[in-house]
Amino acid sequence: AGEIREYRNSSGKIIGFAHEVHKGRVLRGQWFYVDDEASRSYVWFHATQELIRRAIETDGVDVVDLGPSGSDGFEKLKERYGFQSVTEWTEVADYMGKFKYAGDREDMGMKFW
């Protein structure tokens, strides 16, 4: 479920991707890098900015979930930029409801591009 947004370097090589899921009143994002060098490319900042922009523009979304922090350092990075770390996420993120897809297309629970 969700959408994949690829990030490429100037040579066209994929350096990472963002996976976004819209379910209930939540837009959730996760980020993955292909290697350590790519992790220094600031993709997380751009992907987070775009995720928040889409959440603001989407009716019915009131929470952005940045996913689990893989390390204490990453959790501190999120907090440094104003994101609250929540242990009991079900108390603030309403995931009840269907998965939602770009273009409102729901074919057997899959997104087609």
Side-chain angles (χ1 to χ4, degrees), residues 24 67 76 86 101-102 105:
K76 288 178 183 173
V86 177
Y101 301 90
R105 184 162 181 180

Side-chain angles (χ1 to χ4, degrees), residues 31 33 42-48 66 74 77-78 81 83:
W31 300 267
Y33 297 101
Y42 301 104
V43 165
W44 181 82
F45 292 97
H46 182 267
T48 300
L66 298 181
F74 193 64
L77 175 70
K78 289 194 279 189
Y81 288 98
F83 297 97

Side-chain angles (χ1 to χ4, degrees), residues 33-53:
Y33 297 101
V34 298
D35 55 31
D36 288 341
E37 180 182 347
S39 70
R40 295 184 288 277
S41 66
Y42 301 104
V43 165
W44 181 82
F45 292 97
H46 182 267
T48 300
Q49 175 182 315
E50 289 299 299
L51 180 69
I52 292 167
R53 181 187 60 75

Side-chain angles (χ1 to χ4, degrees), residues 5-65:
R5 300 180 190 283
E6 292 180 344
Y7 285 84
R8 297 175 181 265
N9 65 14
S10 59
S11 301
K13 175 187 170 196
I14 294 175
I15 58 172
F17 63 92
H19 177 224
E20 298 178 6
V21 175
H22 182 180
K23 187 168 188 324
R25 301 184 61 80
V26 180
L27 208 53
R28 179 178 180 160
Q30 295 186 89
W31 300 267
F32 304 89
Y33 297 101
V34 298
D35 55 31
D36 288 341
E37 180 182 347
S39 70
R40 295 184 288 277
S41 66
Y42 301 104
V43 165
W44 181 82
F45 292 97
H46 182 267
T48 300
Q49 175 182 315
E50 289 299 299
L51 180 69
I52 292 167
R53 181 187 60 75
R54 280 187 286 283
I56 290 168
E57 293 173 354
T58 303
D59 290 336
V61 171
D62 54 20
V63 171
V64 171
D65 180 350

